[in-house]
Amino acid sequence: MIGYASSLAIAALGVTAFKLLQLPLPFLLGPIVACLVAALIGMPMRGNKLIGDAMRTILGVAVGATFTTPLLISMTSMWPTLLMIPVMVIVIGAIGVPYFQRLWGFDFQTSYYASMPGGFQDMVLFGEEAGANLRILSLVHATRIMVVVVVLPFLLSWVWNADLSNAPGAPASTIGLPQLALMAFCGIAGWQVALRLGMFGASILGPLLLAAIFSLAGILQYRPPAEAIWAAQFFIGMSVGIKYAGVTMSEIRTCVTAALGFCVILLLLTVVFAEVIFWFGLAPAMETILAFAPGGQAELTVLALIVGADMAFVVAHHVLRIFVVILGAPLFARFFRSWAAKQP
């Protein structure tokens, strides 16, 4: 409990520092940076999965509340870009496996699950079952998520002049109590039902689906208030930073450095795919970057909410990416093992 209390205090200091320095996204980037610095100097920190998942339900409700009938109809036009998601996953694996295995000397299982752009918990769990090095997987995926989440806001601001100071929702005082109660119901009930059904990403997708049903029926008429979205940003940012707790200099020289190099590859691939999609006029550039960036689903949902991106487009592509990675993990692992064995 002491470790969690110190994590909260450090994250709060990060928010305060970012606000005083007038840096972007203080509730998201402040906790990430503060907890990362604290981890590197050896301060004890820990997270709380229950609270973290509860915060993710807010994002699920926020996305689900944006669904309307015209929006659902428009989703049928996404198929050309959705088809590119499996292609990108395969390209990432084809580059990532030899990168980690040959350049950094990781074993095949670790190299494969380190390169796959799935959810943090899913990749660590699958890697454990396959006999991969869990510490390496944890640091690689924590670095992937952190770099993408930190770099993207500045990219969106510099290239597309995205306004990162937008309030992510209306103040709670302007939303009626029945609507707030309905949001809470969608969050809790959707999460628990999805959990019992064994749905991946249950804390986000369950609330998303239930909120979408109420929104399409015209019953849910608001997104969660700004205060709730800020709270979600705070705890999600903190969870990213504290994953580095206990990191050693040896791990920084190997695991983190390897992960940083791979992040450069991932960001370049994202830009290449985005350029192709934009060149063919299939989707707006900013939405494409947010949809194809291989970061965490929760973190990129936050960014999409703040910049006012097309939520349906962004979320649909991330859900498909996670779906492809999770369902294709055993098949792709066998394929890449066979392919890697044939290389000189």
Side-chain angles (χ1 to χ4, degrees):
M1 195 64 190
I2 295 175
Y4 188 63
S6 66
S7 300
L8 291 172
I10 292 165
L13 287 174
V15 174
T16 303
F18 265 58
K19 278 184 166 293
L20 290 174
L21 296 172
Q22 297 184 330
L23 295 173
L25 304 179
F27 287 98
L28 179 64
L29 299 185
I32 290 177
V33 173
C35 290
L36 171 62
V37 171
L40 293 176
I41 63 176
M43 293 189 68
M45 291 184 297
R46 56 174 298 181
N48 185 300
K49 187 177 185 304
L50 180 62
I51 295 177
D53 286 344
M55 291 296 109
R56 281 171 164 75
T57 67
I58 296 171
L59 301 181
V61 174
V63 175
T66 65
F67 277 76
T68 60
T69 301
L71 186 62
L72 283 182
I73 295 173
S74 72
M75 290 179 69
T76 58
S77 64
M78 297 180 190
W79 66 267
T81 54
L82 287 172
L83 288 176
M84 295 184 73
I85 290 292
V87 176
M88 186 173 181
V89 170
I90 292 171
V91 171
I92 288 173
I95 295 174
V97 171
Y99 168 81
F100 285 117
Q101 193 170 16
R102 297 189 176 189
L103 191 59
W104 292 95
F106 299 166
D107 60 65
F108 173 80
Q109 291 87 345
T110 303
S111 299
Y112 175 76
Y113 286 104
S115 65
M116 284 293 99
F120 181 93
Q121 289 89 351
D122 301 318
M123 292 304 95
V124 171
L125 178 62
F126 285 175
E128 182 179 22
E129 292 176 353
N133 185 309
L134 298 189
R135 183 60 177 171
I136 292 176
L137 288 184
S138 297
L139 290 172
V140 167
H141 285 294
T143 302
R144 168 176 64 88
I145 293 169
M146 183 199 68
V147 168
V148 171
V149 173
V150 171
V151 169
L152 267 188
F154 295 99
L155 182 66
L156 295 173
S157 178
W158 292 337
V159 178
W160 291 284
N161 295 316
D163 188 356
L164 300 177
S165 63
N166 288 329
S173 59
T174 64
I175 303 175
L177 188 59
Q179 285 286 302
L180 293 173
L182 181 57
M183 292 176 203
F185 172 77
C186 289
I188 297 170
W191 172 26
Q192 293 304 310
V193 170
L195 203 59
R196 282 161 176 73
L197 292 176
M199 183 184 295
F200 69 90
S203 59
I204 290 182
L205 294 185
L208 187 158
L209 292 173
L210 190 55
I213 291 171
F214 281 107
S215 179
L216 289 168
I219 301 172
L220 181 59
Q221 299 170 349
Y222 291 90
R223 284 198 328 215
E227 293 89 345
I229 303 294
W230 283 326
Q233 290 181 48
F234 177 86
F235 284 96
I236 289 169
M238 186 178 77
S239 71
V240 172
I242 63 175
K243 287 184 173 70
Y244 289 92
V247 67
T248 64
M249 287 306 300
S250 174
E251 289 173 328
I252 291 173
R253 286 193 298 268
T254 55
C255 307
V256 176
T257 304
L260 288 172
F262 189 54
C263 286
V264 174
I265 295 172
L266 289 176
L267 289 170
L268 289 174
L269 283 174
T270 301
V271 171
V272 169
F273 273 80
E275 282 294 326
V276 170
I277 291 169
F278 183 66
W279 190 76
F280 280 103
L282 298 176
M286 187 169 70
E287 272 79 1
T288 303
I289 288 289
L290 285 167
F292 279 78
Q297 182 186 0
E299 293 80 11
L300 289 167
T301 299
V302 167
L303 290 179
L305 281 168
I306 291 170
V307 300
D310 183 338
M311 295 303 302
F313 184 85
V314 174
V315 171
H317 287 75
H318 281 291
V319 169
L320 179 59
R321 171 172 59 89
I322 302 299
F323 187 77
V324 167
V325 170
I326 290 177
L327 292 189
L331 176 64
F332 289 156
R334 285 195 295 270
F335 169 78
F336 281 118
R337 182 195 295 275
S338 175
W339 175 80
K342 294 177 183 177
Q343 301 306 303

